Amino acid sequence: MSDMYKEVLVSRKTPVTNKLIKGVLILLTVLGILAGMIFFPLFLVGIAAGVASYFIIPKLEVEYEYLYVNGDLDIDAIYSKQKRKRLVSYTVEELELLAPANSHALDFYKNNKESKVRDFTSGDENKPAYILVMNKDKGRELVKLELDQDILADIRRLAPRKVSQV
């Protein structure tokens, strides 16, 4: 019996909208405080924008960590390389299908409106992505990941009929 332990870190590209949100919040904070020196109620706007910046800006930069241990996959989000949060946990027993993101084996699941889609990739189209179709208690989930070959090989070893190559 061989044990498999693997960690994969995926940095999500920061979208332009997130950069724009960050810039607007910083600008509102600075302008509100500077204008507050002349007209006090604008100082409160600057303080409110500063508080909003404190809570929102760290969540704009995200990395995903996949932790795979003997058929169990845990996905964590790491915000601004400081705070970690466990997002989901999956097991191979919940797996219905694993296939490349562009596979025709996924057509039925992609066209089904009841399936919940979750994307934990970097957003880079050049990196190979895979979709796991998971049966959870709350319904079916389509989970998009950037898995490495070691994890794919181990899932194929544990559930060969649930893994599609094409």
Side-chain angles (χ1 to χ4, degrees):
M1 182 82 187
S2 64
D3 289 339
M4 172 73 175
Y5 174 84
K6 185 77 175 190
E7 291 182 18
V8 177
L9 188 65
V10 176
S11 296
R12 187 178 76 179
K13 288 189 336 185
T14 306
V16 176
T17 55
N18 286 3
K19 292 178 182 177
L20 186 64
I21 290 170
K22 185 177 181 179
V24 168
L25 285 172
I26 292 171
L27 184 67
L28 277 175
T29 302
V30 171
L31 289 178
I33 291 175
L34 290 177
M37 292 179 188
I38 298 169
F39 186 61
F40 182 73
L42 292 177
F43 186 74
L44 297 176
V45 171
I47 296 297
V51 170
S53 298
Y54 178 78
F55 289 107
I56 293 173
I57 288 176
K59 297 215 181 243
L60 297 178
E61 294 182 28
V62 179
E63 293 178 332
Y64 297 112
E65 182 183 61
Y66 313 146
L67 177 63
Y68 180 81
V69 180
N70 295 333
D72 294 333
L73 180 67
D74 296 328
I75 301 173
D76 295 346
I78 303 170
Y79 299 107
S80 295
K81 299 182 182 184
Q82 296 175 356
K83 186 176 178 185
R84 174 185 302 267
K85 181 180 179 186
R86 170 72 39 93
L87 298 177
V88 291
S89 295
Y90 299 111
T91 63
V92 173
E93 289 81 25
E94 298 169 335
L95 179 68
E96 187 173 330
L97 178 66
L98 168 63
N102 58 359
S103 174
H104 289 292
L106 296 167
D107 288 344
F108 170 75
Y109 302 104
K110 287 181 180 178
N111 295 330
N112 189 350
K113 301 295 183 203
E114 297 174 6
S115 300
K116 182 178 179 182
V117 179
R118 303 186 79 167
D119 188 358
F120 302 116
T121 63
S122 65
D124 187 1
E125 298 295 326
N126 297 327
K127 293 185 179 178
Y130 296 89
I131 294 183
L132 284 76
V133 179
M134 307 300 289
N135 284 323
K136 297 292 277 183
D137 296 335
K138 299 174 186 171
R140 185 176 289 139
E141 290 184 13
L142 301 178
V143 184
K144 190 172 181 182
L145 302 171
E146 293 176 0
L147 299 174
D148 68 347
Q149 295 303 316
D150 295 336
I151 296 174
L152 288 172
D154 195 63
I155 293 174
R156 193 175 302 118
R157 180 184 63 82
L158 294 174
R161 293 178 182 236
K162 297 179 180 181
V163 178
S164 175
Q165 302 284 336
V166 288

